[in-house]
Amino acid sequence: MNPTTLKGACHCGAVTFEADTPIEPAKRCNCSYCRRRGAVMSPPFTRDKLRILSGEDDLALYQFNTQVAQHFFCKHCGIYTFHQTRSNPQEWRVNLGCIDGVDAYALASTVADGASSSVVRDA
Ligand SMILES: [Zn+2]
Protein backbone atom coordinates (compact mmCIF):
# COMPACT_ATOMS: atom_id res chain seq x y z
CA MET A 1 0.00 0.00 0.00
CA ASN A 2 1.33 3.43 -0.89
CA PRO A 3 1.91 6.00 1.83
CA THR A 4 -1.06 8.18 2.46
CA THR A 5 -1.69 10.99 4.90
CA LEU A 6 -3.37 9.57 7.97
CA LYS A 7 -5.21 12.00 10.22
CA GLY A 8 -5.51 11.13 13.87
CA ALA A 9 -6.44 12.36 17.30
CA CYS A 10 -6.38 11.26 20.90
CA HIS A 11 -9.71 10.50 22.58
CA CYS A 12 -10.41 13.96 24.01
CA GLY A 13 -9.24 15.70 20.84
CA ALA A 14 -6.53 17.83 22.44
CA VAL A 15 -3.82 16.15 20.39
CA THR A 16 -4.26 15.97 16.61
CA PHE A 17 -1.69 14.85 14.12
CA GLU A 18 -1.01 13.68 10.59
CA ALA A 19 1.41 11.03 9.42
CA ASP A 20 2.48 10.09 5.92
CA THR A 21 2.59 6.31 6.11
CA PRO A 22 0.83 3.26 4.79
CA ILE A 23 -1.60 1.58 7.18
CA GLU A 24 -0.21 -1.89 6.63
CA PRO A 25 1.67 -3.93 7.61
CA ALA A 26 0.20 -3.15 11.00
CA LYS A 27 2.09 -4.26 14.06
CA ARG A 28 1.54 -5.10 17.68
CA CYS A 29 4.23 -5.84 20.25
CA ASN A 30 4.50 -8.16 23.22
CA CYS A 31 6.86 -6.08 25.38
CA SER A 32 5.79 -5.28 28.92
CA TYR A 33 4.48 -1.87 27.91
CA CYS A 34 2.78 -2.73 24.61
CA ARG A 35 1.03 -5.78 25.99
CA ARG A 36 -0.64 -3.47 28.52
CA ARG A 37 -1.69 -0.77 26.09
CA GLY A 38 -2.71 -3.26 23.41
CA ALA A 39 -2.39 -0.88 20.48
CA VAL A 40 -2.23 -1.75 16.80
CA MET A 41 0.55 0.35 15.30
CA SER A 42 1.29 1.69 11.84
CA PRO A 43 4.35 0.70 9.84
CA PRO A 44 7.44 2.71 10.81
CA PHE A 45 8.20 6.08 9.25
CA THR A 46 10.71 8.85 9.84
CA ARG A 47 9.97 11.81 12.13
CA ASP A 48 9.62 14.22 9.21
CA LYS A 49 6.51 12.29 8.15
CA LEU A 50 4.76 13.15 11.43
CA ARG A 51 3.09 16.51 11.97
CA ILE A 52 1.61 17.43 15.33
CA LEU A 53 -1.25 19.76 14.43
CA SER A 54 -2.44 20.60 17.92
CA GLY A 55 -1.79 19.71 21.51
CA GLU A 56 1.97 19.35 21.53
CA ASP A 57 1.90 20.77 25.07
CA ASP A 58 -0.79 18.23 26.00
CA LEU A 59 1.52 15.32 25.28
CA ALA A 60 3.30 13.45 28.03
CA LEU A 61 6.33 11.26 27.47
CA TYR A 62 6.86 7.84 29.02
CA GLN A 63 10.17 6.02 28.90
CA PHE A 64 11.34 2.87 30.63
CA ASN A 65 14.01 0.21 30.55
CA THR A 66 16.59 1.26 27.95
CA GLN A 67 15.11 4.81 27.88
CA VAL A 68 15.45 4.82 24.11
CA ALA A 69 11.87 4.58 22.94
CA GLN A 70 9.70 7.63 23.47
CA HIS A 71 6.07 6.77 24.11
CA PHE A 72 3.80 9.78 23.80
CA PHE A 73 0.30 9.97 25.19
CA CYS A 74 -2.27 12.67 25.89
CA LYS A 75 -1.97 13.87 29.47
CA HIS A 76 -5.75 14.49 29.63
CA CYS A 77 -7.31 11.33 28.21
CA GLY A 78 -4.30 9.03 28.51
CA ILE A 79 -4.41 7.77 24.97
CA TYR A 80 -1.19 6.69 23.27
CA THR A 81 -0.86 8.62 20.00
CA PHE A 82 2.57 7.76 18.57
CA HIS A 83 6.04 6.72 19.62
CA GLN A 84 9.65 6.67 18.59
CA THR A 85 10.81 3.08 18.45
CA ARG A 86 13.54 1.47 20.48
CA SER A 87 14.73 -0.88 17.76
CA ASN A 88 15.45 2.06 15.44
CA PRO A 89 15.24 5.54 16.99
CA GLN A 90 14.94 6.99 13.47
CA GLU A 91 11.56 5.30 13.19
CA TRP A 92 8.18 6.31 14.53
CA ARG A 93 4.79 4.59 14.55
CA VAL A 94 1.31 5.91 15.20
CA ASN A 95 -1.55 4.27 17.05
CA LEU A 96 -3.88 3.15 14.26
CA GLY A 97 -6.76 3.24 16.72
CA CYS A 98 -6.40 7.05 16.68
CA ILE A 99 -6.71 7.32 12.90
CA ASP A 100 -9.89 8.57 11.25
CA GLY A 101 -11.60 5.95 9.10
CA VAL A 102 -9.33 3.06 10.07
CA ASP A 103 -10.67 -0.05 11.79
CA ALA A 104 -7.44 -1.12 13.42
CA TYR A 105 -8.92 -4.39 14.67
CA ALA A 106 -9.86 -5.38 11.12
CA LEU A 107 -6.22 -5.27 9.98
CA ALA A 108 -4.06 -8.33 9.92
CA SER A 109 -1.23 -7.51 12.29
CA THR A 110 1.82 -9.43 13.35
CA VAL A 111 3.24 -9.26 16.85
CA ALA A 112 6.79 -8.00 17.28
CA ASP A 113 8.76 -9.91 19.85
CA GLY A 114 9.72 -6.84 21.83
CA ALA A 115 9.79 -8.86 25.02
CA SER A 116 12.81 -10.91 23.98
CA SER A 117 14.59 -8.35 21.81
CA SER A 118 15.29 -5.97 24.66
CA VAL A 119 18.69 -5.78 26.30
CA VAL A 120 17.09 -5.53 29.72
CA ARG A 121 15.20 -8.34 31.39
CA ASP A 122 11.40 -8.21 31.25
CA ALA A 123 11.26 -5.39 28.75
ZN1 LIG B 1 -6.58 13.57 24.81
Side-chain angles (χ1 to χ4, degrees), residues 1 12 21 33 45 52 60 66-67 70 80-81 95:
M1 190 181 293
C12 74
T21 176
Y33 186 61
F45 53 86
I52 300 169
T66 61
Q67 307 292 319
Q70 298 186 64
Y80 150 63
T81 49
N95 177 1

Side-chain angles (χ1 to χ4, degrees), residues 8-12 15 17 27-29 33-45 50 58-62 69-85 91-99 104:
C10 67
H11 190 261
C12 74
V15 180
F17 59 94
K27 201 79 163 180
R28 290 177 290 152
C29 175
Y33 186 61
C34 290
R35 75 173 187 251
R36 285 171 169 82
R37 73 181 175 190
V40 181
M41 305 176 287
S42 73
F45 53 86
L50 175 66
D58 298 303
L59 287 167
L61 170 64
Y62 181 66
Q70 298 186 64
H71 301 277
F72 290 95
F73 61 96
C74 173
K75 66 174 82 166
H76 308 291
C77 65
I79 295 300
Y80 150 63
T81 49
F82 40 75
H83 77 288
Q84 178 188 35
T85 74
E91 294 184 337
W92 291 66
R93 293 176 187 267
V94 293
N95 177 1
L96 289 174
C98 291
I99 304 301

Side-chain angles (χ1 to χ4, degrees), residues 6 10 14 16 24-25 34 49 55 63 77 83 86 89 95 106 116:
L6 306 181
C10 67
T16 60
E24 296 177 287
C34 290
K49 307 294 189 197
Q63 293 182 281
C77 65
H83 77 288
R86 180 197 57 76
N95 177 1
S116 64

Side-chain angles (χ1 to χ4, degrees), residues 101-112:
V102 172
D103 181 358
Y105 293 149
L107 301 172
S109 59
T110 56
V111 179

